Amino acid sequence: MKKLIVSSPCFEDGGLIPVKYTGHGEDVSPELVLDDLSEMAESIAIIMDDMGHPIPAYNHWVIWNIPAIALIPENIPHGEQVDSLGAIQGCGYGKHRYRGPKPPFNWSHIYHFNVFSLDCRLDLPSTARKKDLLAAMQGHILQKSVLAGHYR
């Protein structure tokens, strides 16, 4: 199986995340492009974590049941249900939405957008958190890729 490649026209892998996609800007999710997505994929899940936070891999966003599409649009709407995609957003950063980078004290943090292609849709309530999503994905992950960015 080919390796899933995740990129974004908004920033390069390892590059600076533009202010628009942060808590200091519009706080909207960036567009994500998935190359070599498995033909067997039924859905996509995304987990975005702050890797520089004192709490390891502090979660900013969890979303699942995105259709197996090659382009995840920018500015995913807030809320538990994302009707335009048929997806569900769980509790990340205490909210049902994307919460962009906003590290304290002008520190530079690295953020990982972990993207998973799955062989099914997941039956999880919107109250689910990262640990619940990770558990539900076990045995269903076809591909995984990470897009990293940093922000100060």
Side-chain angles (χ1 to χ4, degrees):
M1 182 172 302
K2 293 181 183 176
K3 180 180 182 214
L4 178 64
I5 300 166
V6 178
S7 62
S8 177
C10 308
F11 62 94
E12 292 182 15
D13 187 30
L16 181 67
I17 298 171
V19 172
K20 176 179 180 178
Y21 306 101
T22 74
H24 293 119
E26 296 175 34
D27 210 9
V28 297
S29 59
E31 180 178 297
L32 299 175
V33 179
L34 311 183
D35 288 317
D36 292 330
L37 181 63
S38 171
E39 292 177 7
M40 299 184 329
E42 291 289 324
S43 69
I44 304 294
I46 302 170
I47 297 173
M48 180 207 172
D49 290 327
D50 177 349
M51 305 308 289
H53 195 279
I55 298 171
Y58 187 76
N59 186 245
H60 276 247
W61 189 32
V62 289
I63 184 169
W64 61 90
N65 289 348
I66 299 170
I69 53 178
L71 182 84
I72 313 281
E74 178 181 275
N75 196 13
I76 301 287
H78 301 176
E80 298 173 15
Q81 303 280 341
V82 182
D83 293 335
S84 59
L85 292 174
I88 299 173
Q89 293 184 105
C91 290
Y93 206 88
K95 305 283 183 184
H96 296 281
R97 59 171 284 204
Y98 169 86
R99 293 300 306 249
K102 194 176 180 183
F105 311 114
N106 291 325
W107 294 340
S108 182
H109 285 197
I110 295 173
Y111 297 83
H112 284 180
F113 291 81
N114 298 282
V115 179
F116 304 85
S117 75
L118 307 174
D119 65 1
C120 66
R121 290 178 56 83
L122 299 174
D123 186 20
L124 280 174
S126 61
T127 54
R129 296 183 177 276
K130 174 182 159 182
K131 66 177 181 166
D132 305 312
L133 177 57
L134 288 169
M137 289 192 303
Q138 289 302 309
H140 298 289
I141 298 171
L142 297 171
Q143 298 167 293
K144 178 190 176 200
S145 187
V146 178
L147 173 65
H150 68 90
Y151 182 71
R152 174 191 299 229

